[in-house]
Amino acid sequence: MQIQHPTASLIARASTAMDDATGDGTTSTVLIIGELLKQAENLISEGVHPRVLTEGMIKARDKALELLEKIKIEGKPDRQRLYDVATTSLRTKVDKKLADQMADICVDAVLNVQREDGIDLHMVELMEMQHKTSTATTLVRGLVLDHGSRHPDMPRNVENAYILTCNVSMEYEKSEVNSGFFYKTAEEREKLALAERDFIEQRVKKVIELKRKVCPPGSGKSFVVINQKGIDPYSLDMLAKEGIIGLRRAKRRNMERLSLACGGSAVNSVDDLTEDVLGYAGSVYEYVLGENKYTFVEDCKNPLSVTILIKAPNKYTLTQIKDAIHDGLRAIKNSIDDGAVVPGAGAFEIYAWQELQKYKDEIKGKSRLGIQAYAEALLIIPKTISINSGFDAQDMIVKLQEECRESVGPVGVNVDSGEVLQPVDAGIFDNYCVKKQILNSCTIIASNLLLVDEIMRAGMSSLKG
């Protein structure tokens, strides 16, 4: 996005940084910074100095962070809590029915790749397929490779497959340094060509020997070779005759994921191959869509890498769903990393507004005006939720403020009925780290903008003098 205005550019960068840090909260960041500046403008036009306002805003931010610690719900999240967090994030981006389906997929994906040392979301591959409808999106407990076998006689569908992942050249390669072979007769040239061919064939034969060892006739087992380097037509033919599926030039990122999804380990040499290096998949099959081929490696025993196969009828929908799933995955990861969640539906903002009104009365001097401005700015979140749901913002804010005074627990906006609800009972939760980051970054950006304006004015007046 090309933004020329320096203030707008700064807000846009803050929003981008928010997405990089937490994966969510971009819209909230823009809304709150804008509202803080709007509230400040009203007070500055009445003669309040920006420095006084920013001091009040910083005090209000510190108090809001204390309130966030009070309202957060701590504890290791179970599957239902993670599902609630995912639906809260996804329903703001895609249709409700699709969001609920995606939430299930995202939770299963994250739980599959979770390890003792943390969660690496790079182990969740997002594969796009322009096919069928968006509700056909599925989770593959294994890998989907965007290419197929290169030999017409190779099996297209095998079960109980041993997977050999290797980075071994099964084709003749030119030497890395400049070299030449000289011969005097046609017989000598023929010997050179045969020796070259035999060198590659010996490698392929070692793979075939391992296959015969682990897949004896009648065992119901099959064998798949996935190679990062090339496999030439002669070698492919040898593998096809043994009923082996051979995939060549697999992407490096897929090679890393294959070992995690299927087990086993990638090998760089075919010398001393043993059964220990092999992975396992319950099903390996090829799927052809138009001119594109896909290879599915499914039903792995304990997959530490999975694939979300995104299906949609057009490119725009694919991009929209991919972005939504990315945010859903980050929301689930944040909940597990934080060990806490915050009630959603605008509940924290209403609670913070109420407590800041009380806190304002404890502060003396003009800085209390900054606290008042900060409290009012936070209300932009429930207001926007109400407007986007088709309800009157002022009516909703009045209802929430009345209910917040009387209710014991946090209250938020019901987007279906326009009434007040208990977000904890409704299963609406936001990420703790997202809220914390919003409070910090929005206050800093708004304060800097207010003070920079004052510096600019001072600079201009000194130039005139």
Side-chain angles (χ1 to χ4, degrees):
M1 191 189 297
Q2 295 295 320
I3 300 172
Q4 299 299 324
H5 196 286
T7 304
S9 178
L10 191 61
I11 295 170
R13 285 180 188 176
S15 182
T16 306
M18 186 76 198
D19 185 55
D20 293 340
T22 63
D24 206 352
T26 50
T27 313
S28 300
T29 302
V30 175
L31 284 171
I32 291 175
I33 293 172
E35 193 65 16
L36 281 169
L37 295 175
K38 183 181 171 184
Q39 295 291 334
E41 185 186 23
N42 295 337
L43 293 167
I44 289 168
S45 64
E46 292 172 11
V48 181
H49 196 279
R51 173 66 68 184
V52 176
L53 267 181
T54 54
E55 285 174 6
M57 285 180 179
I58 288 166
K59 286 179 183 175
R61 183 216 37 208
D62 294 340
K63 181 65 176 176
L65 288 170
E66 286 177 27
L67 298 172
L68 185 64
E69 294 296 323
K70 284 183 185 176
I71 202 173
K72 74 176 183 182
I73 302 165
E74 291 187 279
K76 187 179 178 182
D78 56 10
R79 194 188 186 287
Q80 183 58 44
R81 179 63 54 82
L82 294 175
Y83 174 80
D84 290 339
V85 169
T87 50
T88 304
S89 173
L90 289 165
R91 283 182 184 179
T92 61
K93 297 164 181 72
V94 292
D95 173 65
K96 183 179 177 182
K97 183 182 175 183
L98 182 60
D100 294 349
Q101 181 190 339
M102 297 297 173
D104 256 332
I105 290 170
C106 290
V107 172
D108 287 339
V110 172
L111 293 177
N112 267 305
V113 302
Q114 186 178 8
R115 302 163 84 174
E116 290 181 6
D117 57 347
I119 298 165
D120 183 4
L121 290 182
H122 290 103
M123 290 301 107
V124 181
E125 169 84 346
L126 301 182
M127 175 68 74
E128 297 177 16
M129 187 185 280
Q130 196 167 322
H131 182 48
K132 295 187 177 178
T133 62
S134 52
T135 50
T137 299
T138 54
L139 174 69
V140 178
R141 285 179 171 79
L143 239 68
V144 181
L145 309 176
D146 54 0
H147 53 90
S149 60
R150 288 286 183 269
H151 195 285
D153 294 337
M154 282 182 175
R156 294 287 179 264
N157 189 345
V158 295
E159 294 183 353
N160 298 324
Y162 285 108
I163 311 287
L164 174 65
T165 53
C166 55
N167 184 21
V168 179
S169 179
M170 295 186 189
E171 64 181 354
Y172 169 67
E173 290 183 335
K174 291 181 180 178
S175 58
E176 291 183 12
V177 293
N178 290 327
S179 61
F181 294 95
F182 301 96
Y183 51 86
K184 295 174 183 176
T185 63
E187 287 78 12
E188 285 182 10
R189 184 192 177 285
E190 190 66 26
K191 280 182 184 177
L192 281 171
L194 288 171
E196 182 184 279
R197 180 71 241 151
D198 185 61
F199 178 70
I200 300 299
E201 280 185 6
Q202 290 306 318
R203 289 181 173 180
V204 180
K205 282 175 180 175
K206 285 177 181 175
V207 173
I208 292 170
E209 280 173 24
L210 180 65
K211 185 262 179 184
R212 287 174 178 167
K213 182 181 172 184
V214 298
C215 306
S219 64
K221 306 283 185 184
S222 49
F223 204 85
V224 178
V225 177
I226 300 175
N227 194 10
Q228 192 174 338
K229 290 186 177 174
I231 307 174
D232 65 21
Y234 292 107
S235 303
L236 284 171
D237 194 53
M238 290 172 71
L239 295 174
K241 284 175 181 174
E242 288 291 327
I244 298 172
I245 295 179
L247 302 178
R248 64 184 181 185
R249 307 201 193 286
K251 293 186 176 101
R252 185 178 173 183
R253 57 191 172 85
N254 285 336
M255 299 300 287
E256 293 169 4
R257 290 191 178 98
L258 269 167
S259 299
L260 289 165
C262 306
S265 55
V267 294
N268 293 314
S269 168
V270 291
D271 298 327
D272 305 318
L273 283 176
T274 62
E275 194 176 336
D276 298 335
V277 302
L278 298 175
Y280 174 83
S283 174
V284 179
Y285 62 93
E286 190 178 288
Y287 186 87
V288 181
L289 180 63
E291 295 179 1
N292 299 319
K293 286 184 179 181
Y294 298 88
T295 302
F296 287 71
V297 182
E298 289 187 349
D299 301 334
C300 303
K301 287 179 180 175
N302 185 26
L304 293 173
S305 178
V306 296
T307 302
I308 297 176
L309 186 62
I310 304 167
K311 293 184 181 180
N314 54 62
K315 196 72 181 170
Y316 168 77
T317 312
L318 280 172
T319 306
Q320 186 186 25
I321 294 171
K322 189 175 182 178
D323 291 344
I325 287 176
H326 174 262
D327 290 351
L329 291 170
R330 287 293 296 269
I332 296 164
K333 181 183 184 294
N334 289 341
S335 301
I336 295 170
D337 291 346
D338 295 340
V341 291
V342 178
F348 166 70
E349 287 77 14
I350 287 290
Y351 171 69
W353 176 86
Q354 184 189 27
E355 294 301 315
L356 286 172
Q357 295 297 333
K358 297 173 187 174
Y359 176 64
K360 180 187 70 173
D361 297 334
E362 300 171 13
I363 303 298
K364 294 179 181 178
K366 284 186 178 179
S367 62
R368 61 189 293 172
L369 294 171
I371 297 169
Q372 175 66 31
Y374 197 92
E376 293 297 331
L378 289 177
L379 292 180
I380 191 64
I381 300 297
K383 280 179 185 176
T384 306
I385 293 171
S386 305
I387 293 164
N388 289 348
S389 308
F391 302 109
D392 185 84
Q394 295 303 328
D395 284 350
M396 196 71 241
I397 292 297
V398 170
K399 285 180 189 175
L400 286 167
Q401 289 170 345
E402 289 172 355
E403 193 68 30
C404 191
R405 290 191 196 98
E406 298 168 7
S407 176
V408 179
V411 293
V413 181
N414 187 331
V415 295
D416 295 322
S417 64
E419 297 299 320
V420 176
L421 57 65
Q422 300 279 347
V424 178
D425 298 339
I428 303 170
F429 298 101
D430 288 329
N431 286 137
Y432 165 74
C433 67
V434 173
K435 290 289 183 191
K436 188 175 181 181
Q437 188 81 4
I438 286 171
L439 292 174
N440 278 312
S441 63
C442 291
T443 312
I444 291 166
I445 297 295
S447 300
N448 285 349
L449 287 170
L450 290 170
L451 295 176
V452 163
D453 244 22
E454 194 61 25
I455 292 163
M456 293 289 282
R457 284 197 199 116
M460 293 301 289
S461 58
S462 64
L463 285 171
K464 286 174 185 173

